Amino acid sequence: MSDVPDRPYDIVYLGIGTVAWAVAGLKIRAWRRDPSHGLLVVALAIAAPATAFLMAAPVLYRLIDRIAHRGNLATLLVYLGITAFSAAAVVLARMWTPPKERANAQVWDGATADTWRQARRRLAVFAVLVPVMIVLFLTGGAGSPETPLTFDTTFATIPEIAVFLVLYQALFGFALTDISRVCLGHASRLPSGWLRRGIRLIAVGGFVACGYVVCKLVAIGAAFAEVTGVEWLSTALGPGFAALGAVLITAGFAGPAAAAWTRRRQDYQALRPLWDLVYRADRRLALEAPPSAWTERLAFRDLEWRTARRGLEIRDGQLTLRPWVDPAVVTAATRIAERAGLDDTDRAALTVAAALRFAAAALDTGSPPRPREDQTPLPGLDAEPAEERAHLVRVAHYLYAPLTGEALAVATTAG
């Protein structure tokens, strides 16, 4: 069989490994901020195969062998990395299987005491088989020649190595089908959105990666039987399935997180006009001066904290402006919202936007505040924490909208 060129595998494996490690780093960072068993297992499930892909790149594979002074040792490390993913996937499959009586449970709700007992039983299988795999590899005498891309078909004729390879593929295949099956069921219980799409991508990626297992087992069996001509299953088609599956699984883990980050950043920027309004009313509300436009555009870190703080400062600003809210503005905004056919949430947002703009202008002109008993309560102040941010974003959207300007004009004319 002709030599397989290293360069394409270097590019693909290093690229996938690097991207996957970036995603794993984000999960580890999230776990450090909010420690949970679920996030930790997800981080390990991404980091283990990411490391395996990096070590499988021929350039690093040969470097590891040179440092260790042992040919093909990198194969053992790569396969142990994938086996670590298999163990993490089996645990996730247990965690993502909620009890029957809680069909609408969220992602981590299934992590009960019974869940951990099931996970420990399955991990015990890995704890027994992994040392067996290591012994089989080290006693198989597969140190030469060095074969970063053709190890399986080159050494499958050695019984110890053949058993090692079959155990590895069996554990990997079981984990892939287990996590894929559970993810499909779990996705069906989730509402539409990025989390549902991400979990479905993990399921599809797992099933695609099963093609790698099938190709490898056929090629290993053929090599053991000394049948030639099917090596391409191990060196071309199998790695293709593995690479595509890894991309889909990584995207499945990364997609919901990226969507949540994007939404936080959009909310943070969307709240800026509303924050500016209350900051001008009382500069003591803010911990620091308004960031510049460039600082705002380049805000990529700590977005949850920044957005939460901005929301709290806006709430304080609303209370500060409340004595200057005119009931006529609230009435005018309510009527215009009804005439425009806005739903309850948009109607409340339009009303608050018009009231705050009027109050800020009244404060600037030196109008006296209303006594407490004459102050008009604004909708949304009693919103649940989960709904508060969405309400404030809507208020910011309506702050300078035409309907808000119309409501202010009607109230001013009436006044």
Side-chain angles (χ1 to χ4, degrees):
M1 184 183 66
S2 59
D3 291 336
V4 181
D6 289 355
R7 183 61 61 84
Y9 291 89
D10 282 334
I11 295 173
V12 173
Y13 288 175
L14 290 176
I16 293 175
T18 301
V19 172
W21 249 115
V23 176
L26 293 175
K27 296 296 183 182
I28 293 171
R29 185 166 179 259
W31 170 73
R32 292 183 63 186
R33 289 184 171 185
D34 183 20
S36 71
H37 292 105
L39 276 175
L40 179 59
V41 176
V42 168
L44 294 176
I46 304 172
T51 305
F53 267 95
L54 292 175
M55 292 189 297
V59 62
L60 292 182
Y61 185 104
R62 300 182 191 279
L63 177 62
I64 292 171
D65 287 353
R66 286 199 300 271
I67 293 175
H69 302 290
R70 183 185 177 94
N72 297 316
L73 179 64
T75 290
L76 176 62
L77 300 180
V78 169
Y79 286 3
L80 289 179
I82 298 299
T83 302
F85 160 79
S86 301
V90 167
V91 174
L92 282 180
R94 305 281 70 74
M95 297 177 71
W96 288 356
T97 307
K100 293 181 180 179
E101 64 272 16
R102 297 167 65 190
N104 295 320
Q106 296 300 313
V107 176
W108 310 123
D109 287 350
T112 62
D114 184 61
T115 298
W116 290 116
R117 282 194 295 271
Q118 294 180 33
R120 283 194 293 269
R121 285 198 296 267
R122 285 161 176 80
L123 289 178
V125 176
F126 284 86
V128 172
L129 292 182
V130 166
V132 172
M133 290 170 58
I134 295 173
V135 171
L136 288 170
F137 181 89
L138 295 178
T139 58
S144 180
E146 187 179 53
T147 53
L149 300 174
T150 60
F151 178 90
D152 293 359
T153 52
T154 301
F155 296 103
T157 54
I158 302 174
E160 292 88 346
I161 300 300
V163 175
F164 162 79
L165 294 172
V166 169
L167 286 177
Y168 157 67
Q169 296 294 346
L171 291 174
F172 189 35
F174 170 76
L176 288 173
T177 54
D178 198 29
I179 191 66
S180 298
R181 173 186 58 81
V182 170
C183 281
L184 284 180
H186 186 59
S188 66
R189 290 186 291 267
L190 293 172
S192 298
W194 262 107
L195 181 58
R196 182 177 182 176
R197 287 194 288 270
I199 290 180
R200 280 184 171 169
L201 276 177
I202 295 172
V204 173
F207 285 128
V208 169
C210 284
Y212 164 84
V213 176
V214 173
C215 289
K216 284 289 188 178
L217 287 175
V218 172
I220 291 166
F224 185 78
E226 299 183 356
V227 175
T228 60
V230 295
E231 292 84 358
W232 58 275
L233 289 173
S234 178
T235 59
L237 188 58
F241 279 119
L244 179 57
V247 169
L248 292 173
I249 291 172
T250 302
F253 281 121
W261 178 88
T262 301
R263 185 169 58 253
R264 283 194 295 269
R265 189 166 188 268
Q266 290 173 342
D267 289 349
Y268 174 69
Q269 294 178 331
L271 290 173
R272 176 63 187 266
L274 185 56
W275 185 85
D276 284 339
L277 182 76
V278 300
Y279 178 75
R280 289 194 299 268
D282 187 353
R283 299 192 175 190
R284 296 172 300 174
L285 296 172
L287 293 177
E288 56 189 24
S292 66
W294 273 108
T295 302
E296 190 94 355
R297 293 190 188 99
L298 296 176
F300 296 109
R301 298 182 57 190
D302 301 322
L303 289 172
E304 181 61 31
W305 180 80
R306 292 170 185 254
T307 308
R309 193 189 76 185
R310 183 164 283 186
L312 290 173
E313 291 171 354
I314 289 172
R315 281 302 194 191
D316 291 342
Q318 284 184 299
L319 295 175
T320 298
L321 290 172
R322 183 172 173 174
W324 285 271
V325 172
D326 193 323
V329 177
V330 174
T331 301
T334 301
R335 289 176 178 173
I336 288 173
E338 291 174 349
R339 189 180 65 198
L342 301 182
D343 60 23
D344 292 342
T345 55
D346 284 329
R347 184 183 307 171
L350 173 62
T351 301
V352 174
L356 292 181
R357 276 187 58 184
F358 185 93
L363 177 61
D364 286 343
T365 58
S367 299
R370 293 175 177 274
R372 180 178 294 274
E373 60 272 13
D374 292 338
Q375 293 176 12
T376 303
L378 294 177
L381 283 175
D382 57 348
E384 296 293 330
E387 302 171 354
E388 184 178 58
R389 182 176 301 178
H391 167 70
L392 293 179
V393 169
R394 286 193 185 93
V395 173
H397 170 75
Y398 280 106
L399 196 60
Y400 298 105
L403 289 177
T404 305
E406 184 180 347
L408 292 173
V410 169
T412 302
T413 302

